[in-house]
């Protein structure tokens, strides 16, 4: 497993893909941070994180598309599957490599908050900070970053499964974008209202299900700085299910 | 060392491997010979744990590949038909990755160094695999199979697409490996197994047709039945005489002319050596035989002769149903003939190639 993890990490940086991912993500997140906080003249980072989720709809497939699709195309999976490594070990090695890139990118992007803290510190100079807090709320930021990482862990597992099902990187990427976008956007329908202010989806049950399925609806508690254990469990189980399915795909192919 | 018992593999309703059983002893080099699509690669993929069998049992050094796949895979080095190379890595990175992947515990620098010397890839050690030629890529693939000093090494068509010089080098390499390892090698080229292997297992349509020591097969093969004869004389009359000669089952004039001599393809009946008779009969008519060249045997011929021979000595060879001799030959001929026509041609090309190799 560690050999495969190291190989995947190396291949992110032998190929341009790792640099493209980090470069695009860091530039984009910096711009987003500028527009949603500095230019909007607010310390509230919730808009920033919401937009960030949407950028990951495009960026996560870049990380996951080649994981298995490329191996299948080049027939190198034969090497991995005949080596003394379990299929689970192989899948986890690849998954954690993608996750490392993802978490690494997010952690580096935390430098975006430095200007907020500097400005916050300058503004609160001479004010009585015991009464009013001026500047970004650290709890909210930490909570949102944590939630983002959990969300990504689930979405990367989805991308991993799709990569295992396809032989072509590009189709893996496109399908992953579609599936992730659906997962993220499902509960948008709940917010739509007609001219009388009534929700378009009248049935409460349907709205409840859409809300439950949507990966984004669990985000809110974290972004208020509250540790939501049920959301943690939700994201981790989602990741587990998709990774389990990936292992099954490979088991099944052996027996095919 | 390797024991295969009643191995069956179905792809849907299509049966790729049909009840195969054989054993490979320690230190033996076994050639797995058969036309394309005979089930060679499928069998090898099952041996290495890449595919699962529909039924049957495979044990490597006593370890069942199904119940303890990791343990069994540790004993095997495998070079698939298409070498599994990461084109964007250097040879060094690739071998190190394999070293880690196989959980090898030998002294890394020394072990990799030895392997590089064995397969002669030291001079490309720091190059990116994408830039290497086919021959070097194949060697890197072989190097990969050798990492960890596995007891069993399996090569699937190791010389396909290489030039004659490279083929000879790879064959020598494999022969050298046979001293310390058990080797299975698949190919559709007879000369290859003859040159390298101790024993030959011939497989066709998922069944084992023959399982013999190389000497036995070679002696069968030496009795070639086809000749190219260069004869000086009027073409039509010579051809008529050849066709009328007892012992000759087929004769044909080829579009080749050397002065007053024409070339004819002559095929003798089974077990008849027509060469002497041909010479004297032609001499009696005043036509000179100025060239006689035995043609290589096609896989088709080999199957037939091998099965014929094992009938004379009813022993190890696996035959499905016992029929009368003529019937057996006919059905086999029909069965094998269709699938092998392509290979027969390749085989002849290969034989011609060999001629040039030997000249070198």
């Amino acid at each position: 497993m560690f050999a495969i993890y190291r190989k995947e990490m190396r291949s992110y940086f032998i190929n341009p893909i790792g640099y493209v991912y980090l470069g695009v993500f860091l530039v984009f997140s910096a711009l987003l941070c500028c527009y949603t906080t500095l230019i909007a003249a607010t310390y509230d980072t919730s808009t920033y994180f919401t937009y960030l989720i949407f950028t990951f709809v495009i960026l996560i497939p870049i990380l996951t598309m080649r994981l298995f699709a490329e191996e299948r195309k080049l027939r190198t999976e034969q090497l991995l599957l005949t080596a003394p490594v379990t299929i689970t070990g192989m899948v986890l090695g690849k998954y954690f490599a993608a996750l490392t890139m993802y978490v690494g990118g997010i952690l580096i992007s935390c430098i975006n908050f430095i200007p907020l803290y500097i400005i916050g510190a300058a503004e609160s100079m001479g004010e009585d900070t015991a009464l009013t807090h001026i500047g970004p709320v650290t709890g909210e930021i930490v909570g949102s970053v944590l939630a983002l990482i959990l969300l990504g862990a689930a979405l990367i597992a989805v991308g991993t499964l799709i990569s295992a099902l396809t032989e072509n990187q590009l189709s893996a990427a496109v399908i992953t974008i579609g599936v992730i976008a659906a997962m993220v956007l499902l509960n948008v329908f709940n917010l739509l209202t007609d001219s009388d202010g009534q929700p378009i989806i009248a049935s409460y049950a349907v709205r409840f299900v859409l809300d439950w399925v949507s990966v984004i609806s669990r985000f809110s508690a974290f972004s208020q700085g509250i540790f939501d254990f049920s959301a943690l469990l939700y994201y981790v189980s989602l990741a587990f299910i998709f990774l389990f399915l990936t292992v099954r795909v490979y088991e099944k192919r052996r027996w095919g | 060392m390797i024991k295969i018992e009643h191995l069956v593999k179905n792809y849907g309703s299509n049966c790729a491997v049909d009840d195969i059983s054989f054993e490979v002893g320690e230190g033996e080099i076994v050639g797995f010979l058969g036309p394309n699509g005979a089930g060679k690669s499928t069998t090898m993929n099952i041996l290495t744990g890449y595919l699962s069998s529909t039924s049957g049992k495979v044990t490597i050094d006593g370890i069942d590949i199904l119940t303890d796949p990791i343990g069994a895979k540790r004993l095997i080095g495998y070079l698939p038909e298409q070498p599994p190379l990461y084109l964007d890595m250097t040879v060094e990175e690739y071998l190190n990755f394999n070293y880690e992947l196989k959980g090898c515990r030998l002294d890394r620098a020394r072990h990799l160094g030895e392997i590089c010397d064995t397969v002669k890839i030291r001079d490309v050690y720091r190059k990116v695999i994408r830039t290497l030629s086919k021959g070097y890529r194949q060697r890197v693939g072989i190097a990969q199979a050798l990492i960890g000093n596995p007891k069993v090494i399996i090569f699937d068509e190791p010389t396909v697409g290489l030039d004659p010089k490279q083929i000879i080098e790879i064959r020598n390499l494999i022969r050298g490996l046979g001293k310390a390892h058990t080797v299975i090698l698949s190919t559709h080229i007879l000369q290859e197994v003859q040159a390298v292997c101790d024993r030959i297992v011939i497989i066709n349509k998922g069944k084992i047709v023959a399982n013999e020591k190389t000497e036995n097969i070679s002696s069968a093969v030496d009795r070639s039945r086809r000749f190219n004869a260069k004869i000086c004389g009027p073409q039509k009359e010579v051809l008529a005489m050849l066709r009328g000669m007892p012992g000759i089952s087929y004769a044909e004039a080829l579009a080749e002319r050397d002065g007053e001599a024409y070339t004819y393809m002559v095929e003798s009946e089974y077990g008849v050596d027509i060469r002497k008779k041909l010479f004297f009969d032609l001499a009696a008519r005043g036509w000179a035989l100025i060239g006689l060249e035995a043609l290589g045997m096609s896989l088709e011929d080999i199957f037939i002769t091998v099965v014929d021979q094992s009938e004379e000595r009813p022993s190890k060879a696996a035959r499905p149903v016992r029929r009368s001799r003529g019937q057996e030959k006919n059905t086999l001929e029909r069965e094998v003939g269709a699938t092998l026509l392509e290979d027969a041609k390749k085989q002849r090309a290969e034989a011609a190639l060999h001629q040039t190799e030997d000249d070198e």
Side-chain angles (χ1 to χ4, degrees):
Chain A
M1 179 179 142
F2 293 108
I4 292 176
Y5 173 80
R6 271 195 294 274
K7 184 221 116 197
E8 289 300 327
M9 285 309 286
R10 209 182 297 141
S11 89
Y12 276 126
F13 293 104
I14 294 177
N15 291 296
I17 231 157
Y19 299 103
V20 167
Y21 171 80
L22 286 178
V24 169
F25 171 65
L26 291 177
V27 168
F28 210 77
S29 69
L31 282 176
L32 267 182
C33 199
C34 263
Y35 278 103
T36 55
T37 59
L38 297 178
I39 292 178
T42 171
Y43 291 117
D44 180 17
T45 51
S46 61
T47 330
Y48 166 69
F49 281 108
T50 311
Y51 282 129
L52 220 48
I53 294 175
F54 291 105
T55 61
F56 280 126
V57 170
I58 309 288
L59 286 175
I60 282 181
I62 294 183
L63 285 181
T64 59
M65 63 182 185
R66 60 192 304 283
L67 285 180
F68 290 99
E70 186 76 352
E71 302 261 5
R72 252 181 109 190
K73 201 166 147 206
L74 293 175
R75 301 273 204 106
T76 43
E77 63 170 15
Q78 227 165 347
L79 180 74
L80 303 182
L81 292 172
T82 56
V85 183
T86 58
I87 295 179
T88 314
M90 174 181 89
V91 170
L92 287 183
K94 283 170 173 285
Y95 172 75
F96 282 121
L99 195 61
T100 308
M101 288 295 289
Y102 175 80
V103 173
I106 288 179
L107 292 183
I108 297 173
S109 77
C110 285
I111 54 170
N112 292 339
F113 302 122
I114 293 174
L116 287 184
Y117 278 99
I118 293 173
I119 295 169
E123 275 196 4
S124 57
M125 202 87 81
E127 301 270 336
D128 184 2
T129 45
L131 291 174
T132 46
H133 174 77
I134 298 171
V137 184
T138 309
E140 282 179 15
I141 292 178
V142 171
S144 298
V145 166
L146 200 63
L148 208 56
I149 289 173
L150 287 172
L151 176 73
L155 296 184
I156 289 172
V158 174
T160 307
L161 173 65
I162 292 170
S163 183
L165 289 171
T166 48
E167 201 169 318
N168 183 314
Q169 285 191 44
L170 202 63
S171 50
V174 171
I175 296 170
T176 310
I177 289 175
V179 173
I180 292 181
M183 290 175 80
V184 169
L185 293 173
L186 267 181
N187 77 338
V188 167
F189 294 108
N190 289 351
L191 306 175
L192 299 176
T193 50
D194 59 17
S195 50
D196 301 332
Q198 294 298 316
I200 285 179
I201 301 172
S203 159
Y204 174 75
V206 173
R207 274 184 286 154
F208 180 81
V209 169
L210 284 181
D211 229 24
W212 194 90
V213 172
S214 169
V215 286
I216 210 172
S217 57
R218 315 255 157 186
F219 210 81
S220 47
F222 278 103
S223 62
Q224 285 152 23
I226 304 162
F227 187 80
D228 181 356
F229 188 73
S230 73
L232 172 86
L233 207 63
Y234 174 81
Y235 288 130
V236 171
S237 354
L238 217 55
F240 176 79
I241 290 168
F242 283 105
L243 291 179
F244 177 74
L245 288 176
T246 312
V247 173
R248 297 307 302 169
V249 165
Y250 268 89
E251 289 281 356
K252 166 135 197 325
R253 207 169 279 153
R254 268 183 75 200
W255 293 91
Chain B
M1 183 53 83
I2 302 169
K3 202 168 171 189
I4 299 174
E5 292 166 77
H6 303 290
L7 193 69
V8 176
K9 176 70 180 177
N10 295 324
Y11 290 112
S13 60
N14 181 9
C15 187
V17 173
D18 187 4
D19 196 15
I20 280 185
S21 302
F22 67 92
E23 276 181 48
V24 181
E26 192 159 355
E28 211 176 5
I29 305 183
V30 169
F32 209 45
L33 182 71
N36 296 325
K40 292 179 307 230
S41 289
T42 305
T43 309
M44 302 205 137
N45 281 333
I46 294 171
L47 278 181
T48 53
Y50 178 62
L51 291 176
S52 292
S53 55
T54 307
S55 67
K57 193 175 169 188
V58 175
T59 52
I60 313 282
D61 203 13
I63 302 174
D64 190 323
I65 188 94
L66 266 187
T67 54
D68 183 9
I70 303 293
K73 285 173 185 176
R74 248 183 248 289
L75 301 175
I76 302 176
Y78 180 38
L79 174 67
E81 200 170 344
Q82 191 180 338
L85 304 173
Y86 291 102
L87 300 180
D88 47 16
M89 288 187 182
T90 63
V91 175
E92 181 182 14
E93 284 168 336
Y94 179 72
L95 294 183
N96 275 294
F97 165 59
N98 273 285
Y99 179 92
E100 289 167 21
L101 185 68
K102 294 185 179 178
C104 188
R105 301 236 164 92
L106 301 162
D107 177 339
R108 186 190 296 232
R110 223 179 71 202
H111 184 50
L112 294 185
E114 277 167 12
I115 288 173
C116 288
D117 289 338
T118 315
V119 299
K120 302 200 185 87
I121 51 172
R122 260 211 196 280
D123 44 337
V124 296
Y125 195 56
R126 289 186 203 288
K127 281 196 178 164
V128 178
I129 296 176
R130 190 185 299 282
T131 63
L132 298 183
S133 67
K134 172 97 181 143
Y136 270 118
R137 287 185 190 191
Q138 196 73 18
R139 283 184 215 193
V140 175
I142 294 176
Q144 165 271 121
L146 297 182
I147 287 177
N149 252 333
K151 286 188 175 175
V152 176
I153 301 178
I154 298 179
F155 294 116
D156 197 354
E157 310 230 350
T159 58
V160 163
L162 300 182
D163 69 39
K165 189 162 170 275
Q166 292 167 333
I167 289 179
I168 291 173
E169 282 173 4
I170 299 273
R171 280 180 192 166
N172 289 337
L173 179 65
I174 293 172
R175 211 179 295 131
L177 291 176
K179 285 167 197 146
H181 308 263
T182 303
V183 180
I184 299 188
L185 152 93
S186 92
T187 177
H188 58 260
I189 302 156
L190 176 73
Q191 281 83 354
E192 188 148 300
V193 278
Q194 274 184 305
V196 176
C197 301
D198 306 324
R199 197 149 56 82
I200 301 181
V201 174
I202 301 182
I203 177 174
N204 188 40
K205 296 204 161 176
K207 285 190 191 321
I208 290 184
V209 186
N211 178 357
E212 297 272 344
K213 287 241 176 274
T214 308
E215 303 95 78
N216 296 342
I217 295 221
S218 298
S219 66
V221 166
D222 284 342
R223 281 193 243 145
S224 183
R225 301 196 295 121
R226 274 202 203 102
F227 302 94
N228 268 351
K230 224 181 234 184
I231 300 164
C232 300
Q235 194 179 25
K236 270 186 192 160
E237 287 168 51
V238 172
L239 192 59
M241 189 219 107
L242 287 176
R243 285 186 173 152
M245 203 174 124
I248 289 181
S249 60
Y250 181 77
E252 172 192 314
L254 301 177
E256 221 176 279
R257 196 183 161 167
D258 174 11
E260 53 170 339
Y262 294 88
T263 308
Y264 306 84
M265 207 276 280
V266 181
E267 194 180 308
S268 71
E269 281 166 8
Y270 284 97
V272 182
D273 190 350
I274 52 154
R275 287 172 294 183
K276 267 188 199 165
K277 188 168 161 41
L278 188 66
F279 173 83
F280 286 118
D281 282 12
L282 286 168
R285 302 252 191 140
W287 298 327
L289 178 66
I290 62 169
L292 189 65
E293 173 199 5
L295 296 175
M297 268 184 136
S298 66
L299 265 183
E300 174 188 357
D301 297 328
I302 293 157
F303 285 178
I304 294 164
T305 30
V306 166
V307 171
D308 262 11
Q309 214 184 33
S310 60
E311 260 201 358
E312 284 155 23
R313 307 177 284 105
S315 58
K316 304 165 255 181
R319 263 181 314 105
V321 194
R322 197 170 180 91
R323 302 196 196 94
S324 77
R325 192 180 161 149
Q327 229 181 347
E328 168 93 12
K329 195 194 287 173
N330 282 340
T331 43
L332 234 161
E333 224 154 7
R334 232 182 300 122
E335 267 173 27
V336 170
T339 51
L340 286 186
L341 223 63
E342 268 312 314
D343 281 80
K345 281 179 198 152
K346 263 191 220 150
Q347 177 79 31
R348 256 169 237 145
E350 186 68 26
L353 212 149
H354 251 262
Q355 210 77 45
T356 51
E357 277 176 33
D358 292 345
D359 291 346
E360 283 178 20

